[in-house]
Amino acid sequence: MDIRELKKQSDLSYDIAIAKRNALEKAHSRQVLAYNGNLFRADPETICVVRTLKENSSKFFILDTNNNPVEISDAEDFLARLIERNQEALNAYHQMYETFTKKGE
Amino acid sequence: MMTKGILLFCFDTEHTRYHKILERCVHLIKKNLKLPVTVVTNFSTFKSIEPLGFVNYKFIEPELGNTKLGKPWNNVDRHLAYELSPYDITLVMDIDYFCFSDNLAQLFDTDYDFLVPDQAYDLSGRNSFDHRRFSIIPMVWATVLLFKKSPRVERIFQMVKYVKQWYPHFAELYRIKVKNLRNDYVFAIALQQVNGFVGYQTFPFALSTLPPDCEIVQFTDKGLAWKHQDKINFIENHDVHVLNKEIADV
């Protein structure tokens, strides 16, 4: 057992973990979407709620990130914007994740 | 049509060339947020600032007396933001908050009249900002705040002035551990008071922040790299609040 090699591996793993954590935080920040004068998070929960409510009616009410009620009158457009923002953020995260995965191999 | 812009405060001290930090900050705002910029400064700092293109300047003499780690810290003029801003909607930013993305721009597209962050994220991975409730009031991060001119927001700033005027009293009342004046607490107290002690609207994300012991080793238009305990890390296309003031010399 080469303890220096193990220490090196441990340091590398730590660095990669921090970098991944930061990339995820960046993705979370990037998921914020301004729509109809309010702020939303383009996360799976919001996307699922909007999709479910849209099945029932094209107009509905939803809470923004500060729990303010907002009327959504064009559900199709709102859902498309949420998905676009969500995928933009996760695509960037995926690219970083791949870089770090390769670095760790 | 409402006017929109960024308001920055910058005053050199004998220890820190804040104008060097300002130059980087303004460059990134112009590149990524593409919004008009107004810099509140004094004439001696202004003389050191390199030409930054079209920037609006407002001259005041900073209120002296506040310190941080024993050094002068001219940061107590934030209460003047409301009257100094030439814009209907203003984003006030610390000059050590670097916009490597356009993430803040969308805040202007909201109906909020006052927004402030209440969370900070430690990029060095130590969660060092999770234990900063050294008071009985949750701190806000007045590093970045958005306001729209209105009678309600004017009252918030009047309360900010009042809290600042009687800060030693409020610091005792709220059992704030640090004794120097911090805008973070001044705004937290003012917002709580004006809002009837029941909370206020906040940013939907934490401010990514590098603690003071992280040394900036590279700074580009896309992002920055830092060193902490002999480890180098970097981040790109993401806004960062840098607490190490030696960034002026990077």
Side-chain angles (χ1 to χ4, degrees), chain B residues 67-222:
Chain B
T67 57
K68 188 178 188 182
L69 302 172
K71 292 177 180 174
W73 192 28
N74 301 336
N75 75 326
V76 297
D77 303 295
R78 187 67 59 96
H79 65 99
L80 298 169
Y82 189 89
E83 58 227 56
L84 289 175
S85 173
Y87 313 113
D88 298 320
I89 312 175
T90 307
L91 190 74
V92 186
M93 268 172 47
D94 281 0
I95 53 171
D96 54 8
Y97 190 79
F98 298 104
C99 297
F100 294 107
S101 79
D102 62 355
N103 221 26
L104 289 175
Q106 60 178 342
L107 297 180
F108 287 91
D109 301 329
T110 66
D111 296 334
Y112 287 102
D113 62 0
F114 197 97
L115 268 182
V116 66
D118 65 344
Q119 301 288 328
Y121 170 81
D122 182 352
L123 284 165
S124 71
R126 291 171 290 165
N127 296 324
S128 51
F129 305 116
D130 286 355
H131 307 288
R132 295 186 70 169
R133 290 176 67 162
F134 297 130
S135 71
I136 59 169
I137 184 173
M139 200 177 88
V140 299
W141 289 84
T143 309
V144 185
L145 53 92
L146 179 94
F147 69 84
K148 213 174 269 185
K149 285 193 175 170
S150 70
R152 192 186 90 88
V153 172
E154 193 172 7
R155 280 196 290 275
I156 292 174
F157 275 92
Q158 283 168 359
M159 182 56 85
V160 166
K161 284 179 198 287
Y162 183 78
V163 172
K164 180 186 163 286
Q165 185 184 353
W166 302 105
Y167 190 71
H169 164 72
F170 282 104
E172 285 284 320
L173 185 68
Y174 286 97
R175 297 182 196 166
I176 295 167
K177 197 175 170 186
V178 289
K179 293 300 167 206
N180 58 349
L181 190 141
R182 285 196 60 171
N183 287 312
D184 304 321
Y185 283 121
V186 172
F187 276 87
I189 294 166
L191 283 167
Q192 200 201 39
Q193 299 258 340
V194 166
N195 287 315
F197 299 88
V198 288
Y200 36 83
Q201 317 264 25
T202 58
F203 276 32
F205 52 85
L207 291 189
S208 288
T209 304
L210 274 175
D213 58 356
C214 292
E215 180 194 348
I216 307 302
V217 290
Q218 194 176 38
F219 193 106
T220 71
D221 275 4
K222 288 180 75 179

Side-chain angles (χ1 to χ4, degrees), chain B residues 5-42:
Chain B
I6 315 282
L7 188 71
L8 306 168
F9 288 79
C10 177
F11 303 103
D12 281 350
T13 65
E14 58 181 299
H15 298 100
T16 308
R17 297 180 301 154
Y18 282 99
H19 73 271
K20 299 299 285 181
I21 304 175
L22 172 84
E23 288 165 8
R24 293 204 151 138
C25 179
V26 170
H27 173 69
L28 289 171
I29 289 170
K30 290 191 164 202
K31 177 174 177 276
N32 293 316
L33 298 182
K34 298 179 175 63
L35 285 162
V37 178
T38 294
V39 176
V40 179
T41 187
N42 56 357

Side-chain angles (χ1 to χ4, degrees), chain A residues 5-19:
Chain A
E5 202 50 46
L6 290 177
K7 167 89 169 47
K8 208 170 136 188
Q9 182 60 47
S10 175
D11 282 349
L12 179 63
S13 301
Y14 178 79
D15 290 347
I16 290 171
I18 296 293

Side-chain angles (χ1 to χ4, degrees), chain A residues 21-22 26 30 37 41 64, chain B residues 102 111-112 121 127 204 236:
Chain A
R21 188 171 167 266
N22 288 345
K26 177 177 153 185
R30 199 63 200 165
R41 192 175 295 286
D64 79 348
Chain B
D102 62 355
D111 296 334
Y112 287 102
Y121 170 81
N127 296 324
E236 287 183 338

